[in-house]
Amino acid sequence: MKDSRYTRRWKNPRLILRRAAPYAKRLAPVAWLAAPLLAALLLPLAVVTPRHGQTPPPAPPQHTAAPAAQAPAAENVPQPQISVYLSRSGQIETLPLEDYVSGVVAAEMPADFELEALKAQAVAARTFIARRLVAGDVSGVPVPGANVTDTVSHQAYVSSKKLKQDFTPVQQEKIHRAVLETRGVIMTYNGQPITASFFASSGGYTENSEEYWKGTVPYLRSVASPWDKEITPNYAVTSTFTVQELISKLGAGKGAVPAIKDLSASVKDGTTSPSALPMEVLSLTTGHRIKEISIGGQVFTGREVREKLGLRSSQFTWKRKGDQILITTYGNGHGVGMSQWGANGMAKEGGTATRILKHYYTGINFAQVSTLLKK
């Protein structure tokens, strides 16, 4: 989902990520007076140009961020309570927003990632739940009383108890620091929380929203993400299918289209050689993934092939080996929004969370979640 990036540069130093602030203690009142000046000196103001939620309307280009003076000190603002449906136990855990964000960061991104990447993930996670709260959205929650589930249908989440059990003290401290240094900060577009979609790694570019989902989202535009290839483990993964298996998974069963069904029957009765399965890429997306592909005379989208075959991404190549087809995918995930490994690559090169987010989410601004929840 790509869009006209950076309609206005965000000028609110108190809302952005306080790299120099101590994370073991909350700032004293006197320190808050100096915080805007300190943030302005330490945070880069340059803009990098170029799993989840509903599609907001496009924003007018003249939109500006809320003035800094209107943002309350995040430390002094009561936190909203988040009720999470725990899918394994069927119970609901209710906890403060920032504790919930810590659980999402722990579940969604490796704790050994760079701090600035973790901070970017914290802002994305907070923005996702803020969007649901503002809209009163409880879609996908199987029981009343919860705002969100702990699954990737919304955001993966590690409970407070599990976070303490399964993560080392050093990892816990790093996660909490990432959350504290971005406390209350969310991304907005046209004055509303954005759909902060993210995924594991790209094949070199992110994807436009409309080329994977329905609807054009102005801040989810295709941008280059060259860092992924160099640092992502298992960047290229090969899956092997027999021709018959591939045909079956694509829809040779009930309700199959005639071309695939007839091909499946001819392979079974021996009148067609398995190696004769025709495959041809018809078009590519802006993000260099497969948009349309013809297989056995039937046209599929890259997303359909990915989902039907259980592939890691819709950017793939293939080759034949006897009666088998070897499909190699590049990157992992739907490709829309922030690449997590790309974010880590940017952070390794000195990129701040601000720069990471402004790179992957086109034209966004920042705000305090408390200012939106009061509306």
Side-chain angles (χ1 to χ4, degrees), residues 30-230:
V30 175
W32 274 107
L33 298 177
L37 176 59
L38 184 61
L41 292 174
L42 295 180
L43 292 175
L45 296 179
V47 170
V48 179
T49 53
R51 297 114 150 235
H52 305 356
Q54 302 172 351
T55 304
Q62 69 271 19
H63 170 69
T64 59
Q70 294 181 5
E75 301 272 355
N76 301 324
V77 178
Q79 298 181 48
Q81 297 292 301
I82 309 299
S83 295
V84 187
Y85 175 76
L86 305 178
S87 55
R88 290 190 177 182
S89 66
Q91 297 179 332
I92 294 176
E93 178 181 4
T94 300
L95 69 169
L97 170 64
E98 300 302 323
D99 291 343
Y100 168 71
V101 173
S102 293
V104 174
V105 173
E108 291 282 9
M109 181 174 276
D112 62 355
F113 271 26
E114 297 292 321
L115 177 63
E116 294 301 312
L118 290 167
K119 288 162 69 172
Q121 182 69 63
V123 175
R126 189 181 297 108
T127 302
F128 174 77
I129 189 62
R131 182 178 174 84
R132 289 179 68 87
L133 292 178
V134 169
D137 181 10
V138 292
S139 60
V141 179
V143 297
N147 305 113
V148 69
T149 70
D150 63 350
T151 70
V152 293
S153 296
H154 295 140
Q155 297 187 121
Y157 165 78
V158 172
S159 68
S160 301
K161 180 179 180 181
K162 194 169 181 62
L163 179 58
K164 292 178 181 179
Q165 290 178 342
D166 297 350
F167 290 75
T168 68
V170 172
Q171 291 174 327
Q172 293 178 48
E173 181 183 29
K174 191 174 182 182
I175 291 168
H176 290 313
R177 178 180 176 184
V179 174
L180 179 59
E181 291 188 11
T182 64
R183 185 183 176 95
V185 178
I186 62 171
M187 294 177 283
T188 64
Y189 194 95
N190 198 25
Q192 294 298 314
I194 72 167
T195 299
S197 61
F198 52 87
F199 62 99
S201 66
S202 79
Y205 295 84
T206 67
E207 194 66 279
N208 285 336
S209 61
E210 68 273 16
E211 293 185 288
Y212 196 82
W213 297 318
K214 292 181 179 179
T216 300
V217 181
Y219 49 81
L220 293 175
R221 303 289 87 199
S222 176
V223 298
S225 188
W227 308 274
D228 308 50
K229 183 177 181 179
E230 302 301 323

